[in-house]
Amino acid sequence: MDLPVVSNTPPAAVGGCASKGCGSPPDALSHLPDHIRARVQDHPCYSEEAHHYFARMHVAVAPACNIQCNYCNRKYDCANESRPGVVSELLTPEQAVKKTLAVAAAIPQMTVLGIAGPGDPLANPERVFTTFRMLSRKAPDIKLCVSTNGLDLPRHVDEITTHNIDHVTITINCLDPEIGARIYPWIYWNHRRIRGEEAAAILIREQQKGLEMLTARGILVKVNSVMIPGVNDEHLKEVSRVVKAKGAFLHNVMPLIAEAEHGTHYGVTGQRGPTAAELQALQDACAGDMAMMRHCRQCRADAVGMLGEDRGAEFTLEKIDALEIDYASAMTRRQEVRAGIVQQLEAKRAEKEEAGRALSTTADIPAANDAERETAGHAMQRPVLMAIASTGQNLVNQHFGHAREFLVYEASERGARFVGHRKTDLYCVGEDRCGDESEDGAAAEAVLAHTIAALRGCEVVLCARIGFGPWNQLEAAGIQPNGEHAMEPIEDAVMAVYREMAAAGKLSGNAGQKRA
Ligand code: CLF
Ligand code: SF4
């Protein structure tokens, strides 16, 4: 059955500012020297832009861990990089290599192989470095990436350098042992279990030492921090400042996920995670000091595909065992695909820079701050959050009911900026459930209610198509659905809608953005 379509107009023939992402903030990587830019432009975690185009995969070869975090239950993956509640199939290094080659051949835009669990990679050095060693020989075009709690990092830095691992993530939740003791009940260090502030002090010391050693060797370091309201939330601003001063490239503040059913200490003691607005406010506060990652999906230790998607089921051991992989041919294809994407991105950047230059010659430049706005005689326009349904390529290209997550952009007089994402459940299941006329109406209603709650604070939803049922309910909840910008680049679509809202007088006054 065809879906009831409210709006599916072809891409609007917009011109001038409207087609160029008018007023968009500059490319987040534009300030970087060329050699650094080249190292991150196809890494989906280190570059927000790249995550629309490139994929990553993880292999779960590291079962053990050397510390205990209060947000972790060992039954599940390492929650420093993963969403708790999912369990990965443990692989041997040989199986991991075979799986990586199979994925690389099937998904040519997969550029990064990461090891992030299910325990701590550096608590399993033999398995992890064997995997990296074999991969750097067999698939030299794949970037290698590792994520660690940092306790055993200093003693492995030299080996990391040897294996050509160019990207390392350290999870640093605090610099103060008193706070650390509320996050880590114990560590295992020099064959001894150590508890309390003494344990936290050792962990913090080793993390900082590891960070300094890596940056001194030119390895790109991303710092992950889990935001735990009432425990380390305020303190993370200091963490951000210090790790930046020590040369960390990017800071990724992730929300604590603590559910009683996961059986973690925080889950069973009722420690809450942050709201979307709290997370964004902290990320904004930290952003004054360093580049922030806002597109992390807290993916599982065996994730495969674009961030936010999981194609792991296509590459189970059973399926890849039967495969014969001609990696030499696959590599040629991979290089072509990658070169094509990089070329496309460079053309987009050039177009954006050109648009910026054109704008700077007009009188229509959005004022940069309140004082400038006053001088320029502009009325204050409030920012607006918009949710986007996208399958990637940086386009508004997904049906509302097919989205498992929405990208959230903030539109303002300064332009469109990505601020995060919101996870939802799938509203359409097959062809016959996309609205209030479905046989399974109650289930659809529940999913829609959950989606509307997840989109709290957003005023607009941009998608390729949307049915009458969800359209009406979104509108009733104060969220305006919009299918007019299907297949347009996200930032262009967001700013076009923002301008329409401004022209309709919906943005005037000093009223703040609707809070999530
Ligand atoms: Fe994996 Fe991590 Fe490397 Fe990325 S994930 S080891 S840096 S390749 Fe990325 Fe996933 Fe967030 Fe991690 S989205 S959880 S930050
Ligand atoms: Fe769990 Fe990872 Fe913490 Fe180890 S480092 S306890 S695996 S969250």
Side-chain angles (χ1 to χ4, degrees):
M1 182 182 90
D2 270 338
L3 305 170
V5 175
V6 169
S7 179
N8 186 23
T9 46
V14 284
C17 298
S19 62
K20 302 281 197 286
C22 166
S24 292
D27 164 22
L29 303 180
S30 57
H31 63 291
L32 296 172
D34 284 351
H35 69 283
I36 301 277
R37 193 164 159 153
R39 287 162 66 191
V40 298
Q41 68 180 357
D42 58 356
H43 194 308
C45 303
Y46 280 68
S47 158
E48 192 256 308
E49 186 182 49
H51 101 280
H52 295 291
Y53 302 90
F54 292 106
R56 56 71 186 102
M57 71 173 288
H58 290 164
V59 285
V61 294
C65 191
N66 45 10
I67 69 173
Q68 178 63 57
C69 304
N70 277 334
Y71 43 74
C72 177
N73 176 343
R74 294 296 169 74
K75 276 199 312 206
Y76 304 123
D77 289 347
C78 173
N80 280 334
E81 278 264 322
S82 309
R83 210 170 48 248
V86 287
V87 190
S88 301
E89 181 181 38
L90 193 66
L91 304 181
T92 64
E94 292 71 23
Q95 289 168 329
V97 169
K98 184 147 195 198
K99 180 172 177 177
T100 307
L101 299 183
V103 173
I107 309 178
Q109 68 274 32
M110 190 280 283
T111 48
V112 178
L113 179 279
I115 300 185
D120 186 75
L122 298 185
N124 305 264
E126 188 59 39
R127 298 170 66 94
V128 166
F129 289 119
T130 302
T131 308
F132 281 141
R133 192 178 311 118
M134 290 195 286
L135 270 175
S136 55
R137 217 175 46 241
K138 292 194 174 184
D141 60 325
I142 297 179
K143 281 187 198 303
L144 304 177
C145 192
V146 67
S147 170
T148 174
N149 62 39
L151 181 63
D152 278 335
L153 181 55
R155 70 178 76 161
H156 290 300
V157 164
D158 286 340
E159 190 146 18
I160 286 172
T161 320
T162 311
H163 294 302
N164 204 21
I165 299 163
D166 204 26
H167 300 74
V168 176
T169 296
I170 315 172
T171 298
I172 300 180
N173 291 323
C174 59
L175 302 168
D176 176 347
E178 212 177 299
I179 295 175
R182 297 168 64 194
I183 303 172
Y184 309 104
W186 56 259
I187 66 168
Y188 197 72
W189 178 247
N190 288 341
H191 314 292
R192 228 164 37 93
R193 197 175 301 270
I194 301 174
R195 298 179 186 277
E197 285 187 33
E198 186 192 353
I202 295 169
L203 177 62
I204 292 164
R205 183 190 71 210
E206 296 303 304
Q207 289 172 335
Q208 295 299 312
K209 196 162 137 196
L211 168 60
E212 288 162 20
M213 290 171 77
L214 288 171
T215 55
R217 285 163 173 76
I219 291 171
L220 291 178
V221 180
K222 170 166 74 63
V223 168
N224 280 1
S225 299
V226 180
M227 179 185 178
I228 311 161
V231 176
N232 70 346
D233 43 354
E234 278 304 307
H235 179 61
L236 285 180
K237 294 173 198 165
E238 173 71 357
V239 171
S240 213
R241 195 185 59 71
V242 169
V243 299
K244 182 200 176 188
K246 291 188 176 177
F249 175 79
L250 196 63
H251 192 191
N252 173 22
V253 177
M254 311 185 295
L256 171 74
I257 302 172
E259 306 289 344
E261 62 266 30
H262 298 149
T264 62
H265 173 78
Y266 283 150
V268 298
T269 55
Q271 169 65 51
R272 73 173 181 91
T275 64
E278 286 170 337
L279 179 67
Q280 191 188 325
L282 179 60
Q283 288 171 333
D284 286 349
C286 293
D289 282 305
M290 71 182 299
M292 299 301 294
M293 177 179 187
R294 298 171 193 260
H295 58 283
C296 174
R297 302 302 203 274
Q298 291 170 281
C299 31
R300 47 190 286 173
D302 61 357
V304 174
M306 306 289 285
L307 299 195
E309 87 176 349
D310 190 1
R311 296 180 58 181
E314 295 170 41
F315 303 96
T316 58
L317 280 181
E318 203 184 339
K319 286 182 183 160
I320 60 170
D321 248 358
L323 293 177
E324 281 300 324
I325 304 153
D326 173 2
Y327 197 71
S329 316
M331 201 145 74
T332 309
R333 166 89 183 116
R334 286 170 53 73
Q335 278 157 356
E336 286 165 5
V337 168
R338 210 184 118 197
I341 297 174
V342 168
Q343 207 176 4
Q344 194 187 333
L345 287 176
E346 273 163 11
K348 279 183 147 187
R349 275 186 215 119
E351 191 189 343
K352 211 165 168 179
E353 274 162 29
E354 187 57 38
R357 270 197 291 279
L359 265 174
S360 68
T361 62
T362 76
D364 194 27
I365 308 165
N369 56 42
D370 293 355
E372 285 173 9
R373 266 194 291 269
E374 265 173 39
T375 315
H378 285 272
M380 179 92 169
Q381 307 280 356
R382 67 184 174 82
V384 172
L385 289 183
M386 301 189 198
I388 321 297
S390 173
T391 59
Q393 307 297 309
N394 210 6
L395 298 173
V396 180
N397 60 359
Q398 193 171 35
H399 190 301
F400 174 84
H402 296 168
R404 290 184 185 275
E405 65 169 24
F406 289 83
L407 305 180
V408 177
Y409 280 71
E410 183 188 75
S412 72
E413 291 182 338
R414 306 295 312 278
R417 70 173 182 131
F418 176 80
V419 293
H421 70 283
R422 308 276 177 87
K423 284 195 191 306
T424 58
D425 293 328
L426 200 60
Y427 179 64
C428 291
V429 178
E431 285 294 293
D432 60 352
R433 200 187 102 185
C434 195
D436 46 6
E437 295 155 13
S438 77
E439 285 169 20
D440 196 4
E445 289 300 305
V447 169
L448 189 53
H450 178 247
T451 302
I452 288 172
L455 297 183
R456 193 156 168 241
C458 298
E459 296 180 49
V460 176
V461 168
L462 288 166
C463 54
R465 287 157 51 123
I466 180 167
F468 282 113
W471 177 290
N472 290 335
Q473 292 199 41
L474 282 165
E475 250 185 356
I479 303 171
Q480 183 59 53
N482 187 318
E484 298 290 326
H485 297 275
M487 302 314 294
E488 286 181 25
I490 292 173
E491 287 178 11
D492 292 357
V494 165
M495 290 314 293
V497 173
Y498 189 70
R499 279 188 292 273
E500 285 160 19
M501 291 175 79
K506 294 178 180 171
L507 306 177
S508 342
N510 279 323
Q513 182 178 285
K514 272 174 65 175
R515 302 308 297 176

